[in-house]
Amino acid sequence: MKSYTIHLIRNAFTDENLEGRYIGHTDVPVSEEGKAQLASMKDELIYPPVEAVFTSPLKRCRETASVLYPDNKAIVIDGFIEYNFGEFENKTAADLEKSPVFPRWLAGEKGVAPPFGETNEAFTERVCSTFEKVAEGLMKTGTTSAAIVTHGGVIMTILAAFGIPEYPMHEWLTPNGCGFTIKVNPSLWMRAKNF
């Protein structure tokens, strides 16, 4: 039986990553350091060839995808956009230390969201639903290999939900420009979907 390979790759460094800022929906580019690191990694590592490339709509992911997969036209998927940090957007942990919501949100308290942001539950639902649609689309079209170039939070969420072995989200932390590979077996996928 055919299996499907999906490579989850995190966007290259941005200046805001290096500053430790919460950057979700802000559309920042890959930094000069990030471009240099990505070029070096592409020379040293093998980014597997794929039939399809999917990306978040944000510039840092689209730029990363175009460097890693210049021969593939990336398909932009809005559901792979990073977490909506609301009022925490573009701030560091130090900036937020006096916020009464910040420690509760950081601890993963159920239903807690940054002001005007997304709850962890809503983010997980959005990301997992999007991933399921992409995986099922690959199976329907017979596309056996794909890359999803997206954000760290999106990758951690997908792997916490679908990865084996099962680990909590923070255990799936992914360095910029790196990622994980998922193998999808259609019969196991359909069996899991029926539970």
Side-chain angles (χ1 to χ4, degrees):
M1 176 175 279
K2 208 184 263 192
S3 67
Y4 299 82
T5 304
I6 304 172
H7 306 286
L8 304 172
I9 302 170
R10 185 177 179 192
N11 63 270
F13 274 116
T14 66
D15 288 331
E16 292 76 10
N17 289 137
L18 297 173
E19 295 167 0
R21 296 185 179 281
Y22 289 103
I23 298 296
H25 287 202
T26 302
D27 200 8
V28 297
V30 170
S31 67
E32 290 306 314
E33 182 178 337
K35 289 176 187 173
Q37 182 190 34
L38 196 59
S40 173
M41 290 171 73
K42 191 173 178 191
D43 288 341
E44 295 171 15
L45 304 173
I46 296 173
Y47 288 92
V50 295
E51 297 170 78
V53 175
F54 302 95
T55 183
S56 157
L58 297 182
K59 194 180 301 179
R60 57 195 183 265
C61 293
R62 290 183 290 113
E63 289 176 350
T64 301
S66 69
V67 169
L68 298 181
Y69 295 103
D71 297 331
N72 296 77
K73 180 172 174 26
I75 299 165
V76 174
I77 305 283
D78 289 342
F80 287 137
I81 197 168
E82 181 60 286
Y83 187 86
N84 180 352
F85 291 108
E87 287 186 1
F88 294 174
E89 184 76 20
N90 206 21
K91 295 194 168 72
T92 65
D95 294 334
L96 297 167
E97 64 185 10
K98 293 184 180 169
S99 164
V101 176
F102 183 63
R104 294 174 52 220
W105 171 75
L106 207 55
E109 192 176 311
K110 191 173 175 134
V112 174
F116 303 105
E118 205 169 13
T119 65
N120 291 332
E121 295 81 12
F123 178 65
T124 298
E125 171 59 32
R126 169 173 60 82
V127 168
C128 289
S129 172
T130 301
F131 179 77
E132 287 176 8
K133 288 175 187 165
V134 167
E136 289 167 8
L138 294 175
M139 287 182 246
K140 283 180 185 167
T141 62
T143 305
T144 58
S145 63
I148 298 172
V149 181
T150 188
H151 310 275
V154 172
I155 292 172
M156 291 189 297
T157 299
I158 291 169
L159 292 171
F162 299 102
I164 297 175
E166 292 182 25
Y167 289 126
M169 190 171 161
H170 68 274
E171 293 290 329
W172 295 107
L173 185 62
T174 309
N176 293 84
C178 297
F180 291 92
T181 298
I182 293 179
K183 290 273 193 194
V184 178
N185 175 299
S187 63
L188 292 176
W189 179 267
M190 296 316 284
R191 194 175 314 149
K193 294 281 288 170
N194 291 326
F195 280 104

